[in-house]
Amino acid sequence: MIVAENLVKDFRVHERGPGLLGSLGTLFSREHRLVRAVSGVSFEIPAGTKVAYIGANGAGKSTTVKMLTGIMTPTSGRALVAGLEPYRERRRNAANIGVVFGQRSQLWWDLPVPDSFRILRGIHDIPDAVYRRNMALYRDLLDLDALGNTPVRQLSLGQRMRAEVAASLVHDPKVVFLDEPTVGLDLVLKEAVRELVNRVNAELGTTVLLTSHDMGDIRAICDGVLVVDRGEVVHSGSVHELLRTADTRAVLFEHEGDPAAPTEAIALIEARLDGASATVVDGGRIRVEYPTGRWTSRQVMGLLLEHFDVTDCVAPEPDLESVLRRIYTGGRRPAPRPEAVG
Amino acid sequence: MTRAGTVPARLRRYAPFTAASLQGLLQYRATFLINALTAATAVGVQVFLWRAVYAGRSGGMPGGYDLPHLTTYVLLAQVLGLMQANRVDEEVSGEVQRGDIAVSLLRPVSYPLARFAAGLPVSLTNATLVAVPVVVLYALLLPLSVPSPQGALLFGCSAALSLVIGFGVNLLVGLAGFVTTNIWGVRIVKDSVVAFFAGQVVPLALMPGPLAAVAQALPFQGMVDGPLRLLLGRYHGPLEAASILGVQLAWAAALSALAALAWRGAVRRVEVLGG
Amino acid sequence: MRPVSTTVRYARLTWQLSAVSMHRLTEYRMDFLLGAGGLLLRVVCQVAVIGMVFRQAPEIAGWHYDQVLFLLGFSLLPRGLDRMFTDQLWILARKLVQNGEFFRYLIRPVHPLFSLLSERFLYPDGFGELLTGAGLVWYAADRLALTPDTAQLLLAPVLVLCGTLILASIKTLFASLAFWTTNSFPALYAANQLGDFSGYPLDLYHPSLRWLLTWLLPYAFTAYIPASYLLFGRAPLLPWLFAVTAGLVALALAVWHRGVDRYEMTGS
């Protein structure tokens, strides 16, 4: 459904020094350099899947999404969304996609939300039945009626985001691009937005591309993950596969023994398991963290069972955030030198 | 206010607003060129209009102005207009509408003074980068009347006071954003009505009696007509000159007080409604 | 076949948008009154200035008081219409490119320009200008005891329409500069400001200025030329009206498209 082939995007950046003197400087010079925001990204997202596109700030993900939505033309390479090159056939592509761009509104700023939807219905030629079904769904899940007749510009971020998400889906698009769709929402509404997206995906087979800093969104919605770093895809696979790349795992356990004196137990574990660390967490449980390259979980569990009278034991999944943090900070190649021009 | 040290020390707190404003301005260098063009065309319309009037009339001087005097008036009226276009109305109403005004309450400075500090460089930049070239251009093209040194001195004081009046008006217009969302409408009213009663389009002396009386009673005449009467020596004796300045001073004080009052009302509103 | 269905589609959308806007008009009555009232006051000030000018001389450059009022009133008709439909261009010039919000016109399956204009459709402030303009024209025509012939009556709405298109094109042209400069508000403002010349007889001005207002920024075709035709039954430049309108619309659309292309390249 979404194909990116060697997508490249370069920007010209005008040099500007800091402070007043810096901006005075721009009066007289127009030096600039080229910055590569996206460097040869390739991937393919099959129809009906829900993929998270994640990366640190400045990883080039919003630029990539802009190229996929047709807002931006790539410097080189090619993108295909539902069989169209978005930037070439923007208007036809627009009929196939829905977009939420986080903080930026796509609604009619001066109009109340119901009017925006009435207009969207017109410009997308939405059949009556579809429009009615969708509006009923949004009323149900997002409580859109509560927004009333307030113009969009006077809504709070949370109120507006509900309308934005609904507006991106109202014409039953084949693909929906969601950039920070739950920003500003409380937990209940976050849940509602996630449920809405999942439901639309299940019922209509809508392909979802999500960019978010909210790990909760990613885990609740997505089945696949693309990790971008410095404009290149560094990981592609399921969420599960991504988690498996974690270089440390942890086990928490409780045992029959003196809970007041865990020092002995900790010393024993750290002595037997080279590179592992043990700490006491609340409730008196001991948390053992070990490098996955050095020890298998079988070895660790064996050791624990051998030396302790284990009464309870959990092995939590690795934390997505720390996995990502390691990818961003650990896997860094030296930065390509920006090419100086003019 | 008195707690926070000496006056210069307190004033220094407002310097960042001035610097930031100047920096913002310099990013749009095209603005100055365009402002110059706008002012030049406005002067153009007026001058052409009045030249046609003088050509078509049968003697006597309208309101006692001869053509070079009137041309000077029209030209400098635009210059004063430029200096009073300090963007304060736009910036304040923008902050009100975006709700950013609440953030201003967190700063340890007086908001009106901070706005004044930010508006001043706009005025001065407009005066130097825009007004000077426009005046030079017309001085080369048209006969102007050269003011006396005394007139120029009085004009300087008066122009400074007119900046305060103009600032007060703009701040009040900006704060109107609390009352209506159609700030654009308020500004249209301001731009036309204020300019008209300030004497920016037609000197007060040319207005019919009752209209001139209304204009004299409003604060706006201190923005353009007052300073230019002083510059062109259109007063009888030092007493009248002093009274022009005195009235300006009184209006400057009154408008500042009114702006402070309006600001206090705005703060209360933000505190209650959250912006 | 396709052009027809496209036209029908846009006509239907226009109708829908108008309905939505009228609905809004009644809801924000205060805003509407303020905007329309503000424009009314501005016209009152302009009329006052004209009155004061004519206190000094009975005739200026061959024009009488009522004729100048007629011209001023006529100039407000295309202005009001233009303001009713294209005022979102001001927002484009001022901030839509700068803050990146222009994207939303590119993700809707309608022409981006239409999509842009749709956000301030039937903007109520324009009614103020339109109504005062009509009132002024009516008043002046009555005092002049104007008796238009059939051709004049038939042409009058066309003249207003062409004037509107010219104004809208000038606005589009200068607002589109924002695609290059991110903020073209000053340029648009200046161009708009020059339009103030057009409320007065062009005979007042230096020939170079008259030439500029006729051929460079053809404001003359929005008021002076059509009003002269309606007042005096003659306007030598009137035959040029359609060519100028068509040319300017084409130019404005071309610049707009180049600008959107550029936006797609840089995203800013």
Side-chain angles (χ1 to χ4, degrees):
Chain A
M1 185 57 65
I2 304 175
V3 182
E5 286 170 5
N6 247 318
L7 274 184
V8 173
K9 185 69 196 178
D10 293 331
F11 288 114
R12 286 173 166 213
V13 176
H14 291 285
E15 302 282 7
R16 175 182 175 274
L20 186 53
L21 278 177
S23 42
L24 266 175
T26 56
L27 280 173
F28 306 108
S29 83
R30 269 296 191 187
E31 276 191 23
H32 61 265
R33 62 200 168 89
L34 280 184
V35 170
R36 181 151 288 194
V38 177
S39 56
V41 164
S42 299
F43 56 82
E44 191 164 334
I45 297 172
T49 51
K50 298 175 286 183
V51 173
Y53 196 72
I54 41 189
N57 285 327
K61 56 183 171 30
S62 71
T63 307
T64 309
V65 172
K66 280 181 181 166
M67 292 191 279
L68 295 177
T69 48
I71 297 169
M72 203 180 264
T73 319
T75 307
S76 66
R78 196 166 82 116
L80 277 179
V81 173
L84 299 175
E85 276 190 75
Y87 35 85
R88 293 244 163 94
E89 296 179 82
R90 211 183 40 238
R91 246 172 285 164
R92 280 181 64 202
N93 180 62
N96 289 335
I97 64 167
V99 182
V100 173
F101 257 131
Q103 311 277 4
R104 291 171 180 167
S105 177
Q106 51 161 318
L107 300 166
W108 278 256
W109 201 238
D110 288 320
L111 298 180
V113 169
D115 283 340
S116 274
F117 278 89
R118 234 162 272 154
I119 297 174
L120 281 172
R121 175 195 194 169
I123 64 177
H124 281 289
D125 276 324
I126 306 174
D128 279 359
V130 172
Y131 184 74
R132 265 200 300 272
R133 176 201 53 183
N134 284 346
M135 290 313 282
L137 181 63
Y138 306 150
R139 257 195 287 275
D140 227 32
L141 282 177
L142 302 176
D143 196 18
L144 272 197
D145 282 344
L147 306 183
N149 265 333
T150 321
V152 169
R153 64 184 138 83
Q154 287 170 11
L155 295 177
S156 73
L157 180 58
Q159 291 173 319
R160 212 193 72 215
M161 286 313 293
R162 279 141 75 187
E164 300 275 356
V165 173
S168 72
L169 294 168
V170 68
H171 54 290
D172 284 355
K174 291 180 187 154
V175 183
V176 62
F177 296 89
L178 303 171
D179 180 25
E180 307 284 351
T182 60
V183 70
L185 297 181
D186 63 30
L187 282 176
V188 177
L189 281 168
K190 264 188 195 183
E191 264 322 305
V193 166
R194 291 166 186 167
E195 192 190 330
L196 175 64
V197 173
N198 284 333
R199 214 149 123 182
V200 168
N201 166 266
E203 287 169 12
L204 304 168
T206 311
T207 309
V208 179
L209 188 71
L210 172 83
T211 53
S212 182
H213 287 108
D214 187 327
M215 293 304 153
D217 285 350
I218 297 170
R219 305 216 58 166
I221 297 175
C222 298
D223 28 52
V225 189
L226 283 167
V227 184
V228 221
D229 188 33
R230 310 224 151 191
E232 286 178 50
V233 174
V234 292
H235 175 91
S236 154
S238 67
V239 179
H240 187 67
E241 279 167 348
L242 177 64
L243 293 179
R244 277 220 307 245
T245 67
D247 55 358
T248 58
R249 295 293 309 254
V251 176
L252 287 96
F253 72 99
E254 259 174 85
H255 66 107
E256 299 273 341
D258 184 4
T263 345
E264 249 174 77
I266 288 175
L268 180 110
I269 295 167
E270 290 188 343
R272 294 293 179 98
L273 293 174
D274 178 33
S277 69
T279 44
V280 182
V281 294
D282 18 286
R285 288 203 283 193
I286 297 175
R287 180 189 167 93
V288 184
E289 218 172 298
Y290 58 94
T292 44
R294 179 80 181 75
W295 303 102
T296 66
S297 47
R298 185 186 166 140
Q299 288 171 311
V300 176
M301 292 306 293
L303 178 102
L304 294 181
L305 291 172
E306 186 186 331
H307 292 276
F308 302 99
D309 203 353
V310 175
T311 55
D312 183 22
C313 181
V314 230
E317 266 200 294
D319 167 33
L320 189 52
E321 264 166 87
S322 53
V323 172
L324 290 174
R325 205 175 311 125
R326 189 185 55 79
I327 292 182
Y328 299 151
T329 53
R332 283 267 152 104
R333 291 157 307 283
R337 215 166 255 273
E339 191 185 339
V341 181
Chain B
M1 280 296 266
T2 41
R3 286 174 272 131
T6 60
V7 170
R10 266 188 286 135
L11 282 185
R12 216 170 308 138
R13 284 199 217 157
Y14 295 92
F17 293 97
T18 308
S21 161
L22 200 54
Q23 207 169 323
L25 275 180
L26 288 171
Q27 295 217 347
Y28 305 111
R29 44 201 153 147
T31 313
F32 299 117
L33 191 69
I34 301 307
N35 278 353
L37 204 76
T38 312
T41 55
V43 174
V45 177
Q46 309 263 32
V47 169
F48 282 122
L49 198 60
W50 286 110
R51 286 176 82 86
V53 171
Y54 278 83
R57 55 178 290 104
S58 45
M61 285 193 290
Y65 281 94
D66 62 10
L67 193 55
H69 257 92
L70 196 62
T71 311
T72 312
Y73 184 100
V74 162
L75 178 60
L76 293 180
Q78 286 302 319
V79 171
L80 285 169
L82 273 172
M83 289 175 68
Q84 283 145 14
N86 51 20
R87 297 177 49 87
V88 166
D89 48 348
E90 273 174 84
E91 306 262 341
V92 173
S93 60
E95 284 196 357
V96 171
Q97 292 207 314
R98 288 191 303 271
D100 294 350
I101 199 98
V103 180
S104 313
L105 298 181
L106 302 175
R107 301 209 180 99
V109 292
S110 142
Y111 182 77
L113 276 181
R115 275 288 151 218
F116 188 69
L120 215 50
V122 184
S123 294
L124 296 180
T125 320
N126 266 332
T128 48
L129 289 186
V130 180
V132 171
V134 172
V135 171
V136 168
L137 173 78
Y138 278 99
L140 292 175
L141 288 177
L142 301 167
L144 298 174
S145 77
V146 181
S148 64
Q150 181 197 358
L153 186 70
L154 286 170
F155 174 76
C157 303
S158 184
L161 284 172
S162 81
L163 279 188
V164 180
I165 299 179
F167 168 75
V169 171
N170 275 354
L171 187 63
L172 286 171
V173 167
L175 290 178
F178 278 108
V179 191
T180 170
T181 49
N182 195 347
I183 262 303
W184 180 87
V186 179
R187 271 179 44 213
I188 285 281
V189 176
K190 187 212 100 182
D191 283 346
S192 48
V193 176
V194 170
F196 182 81
F197 285 110
Q200 198 181 319
V201 203
V202 177
L204 263 54
L206 292 189
M207 293 183 181
L211 199 59
V214 173
Q216 281 298 350
L218 292 171
F220 313 122
Q221 51 85 18
M223 295 166 72
V224 177
D225 195 72
L228 290 178
R229 273 166 68 201
L230 290 171
L231 182 79
L232 299 171
R234 298 187 53 82
Y235 54 86
H236 303 290
L239 213 62
E240 197 181 336
S243 92
I244 293 175
L245 282 173
V247 169
Q248 268 191 305
L249 192 64
W251 274 121
L255 281 171
S256 303
L258 196 62
L261 213 64
W263 172 244
R264 202 164 306 162
V267 168
R268 207 160 304 137
R269 201 183 153 106
V270 171
E271 283 166 352
V272 175
L273 300 174
Chain C
M1 182 59 212
R2 249 197 92 196
V4 174
S5 65
T6 311
T7 313
V8 169
R9 177 154 182 261
Y10 280 94
R12 208 188 57 222
L13 281 173
T14 306
W15 178 252
Q16 282 177 350
L17 284 165
S18 308
V20 167
S21 292
M22 291 309 285
H23 170 226
R24 174 181 57 172
L25 198 93
T26 53
E27 216 144 292
Y28 310 110
R29 216 169 298 154
M30 186 59 209
D31 280 1
F32 164 57
L33 288 178
L34 202 64
L39 287 168
L40 179 75
L41 264 174
R42 189 161 77 167
V43 177
V44 169
C45 287
Q46 268 175 299
V47 172
V49 171
I50 292 175
M52 280 182 271
V53 167
F54 276 95
R55 275 178 77 219
Q56 308 300 330
E59 190 190 293
I60 292 171
W63 287 64
H64 293 282
Y65 177 62
D66 291 317
Q67 291 167 336
V68 174
L69 282 194
F70 183 90
L71 172 61
L72 178 65
F74 187 91
S75 77
L76 293 174
L77 300 177
R79 271 200 171 221
L81 275 178
D82 167 64
R83 195 186 298 284
M84 275 164 71
F85 291 105
T86 71
D87 254 18
Q88 186 71 3
L89 287 167
W90 286 100
I91 314 286
L92 169 66
R94 185 148 56 183
K95 60 181 184 195
L96 287 172
V97 176
Q98 204 166 24
N99 66 15
E101 291 205 353
F102 184 79
F103 86 91
R104 65 173 173 259
Y105 310 113
L106 301 178
I107 55 161
R108 294 173 187 161
V110 287
H111 193 283
L113 185 57
F114 182 86
S115 185
L116 175 92
L117 299 185
S118 79
E119 291 192 9
R120 280 203 174 192
F121 217 69
L122 273 192
Y123 209 57
D125 298 322
F127 282 110
E129 260 170 341
L130 201 59
L131 290 180
T132 36
L136 216 49
V137 165
W138 189 267
Y139 171 80
D142 185 52
R143 288 184 35 128
L144 289 164
L146 225 53
T147 45
D149 59 32
T150 327
Q152 283 172 323
L153 274 179
L154 284 177
L155 263 177
V158 181
L159 299 180
V160 174
L161 183 71
C162 284
T164 310
L165 285 174
I166 290 173
L167 290 177
S169 299
I170 292 176
K171 227 155 134 185
T172 308
L173 199 64
F174 283 90
S176 298
L177 296 182
F179 292 119
W180 286 269
T181 61
T182 67
N183 181 344
S184 69
F185 184 76
L188 178 55
Y189 187 85
N192 185 62
Q193 206 66 12
L194 276 172
D196 283 357
F197 277 112
S198 66
Y200 300 97
L202 260 57
D203 311 275
L204 290 175
Y205 308 135
H206 191 267
S208 60
L209 182 59
R210 221 179 301 163
W211 185 85
L212 176 118
L213 293 171
T214 311
W215 301 115
L216 224 51
L217 286 172
Y219 285 114
F221 288 94
T222 68
Y224 172 71
I225 292 169
S228 299
Y229 168 69
L230 295 176
L231 279 172
F232 311 118
R234 65 189 150 75
L237 289 175
L238 195 66
W240 285 93
L241 177 64
F242 297 107
V244 167
T245 309
L248 202 60
V249 168
L251 178 68
L253 285 177
V255 172
W256 161 272
H257 282 294
R258 287 289 295 273
V260 172
D261 284 349
R262 195 192 134 86
Y263 185 86
E264 284 171 37
M265 294 307 295
T266 58
S268 63

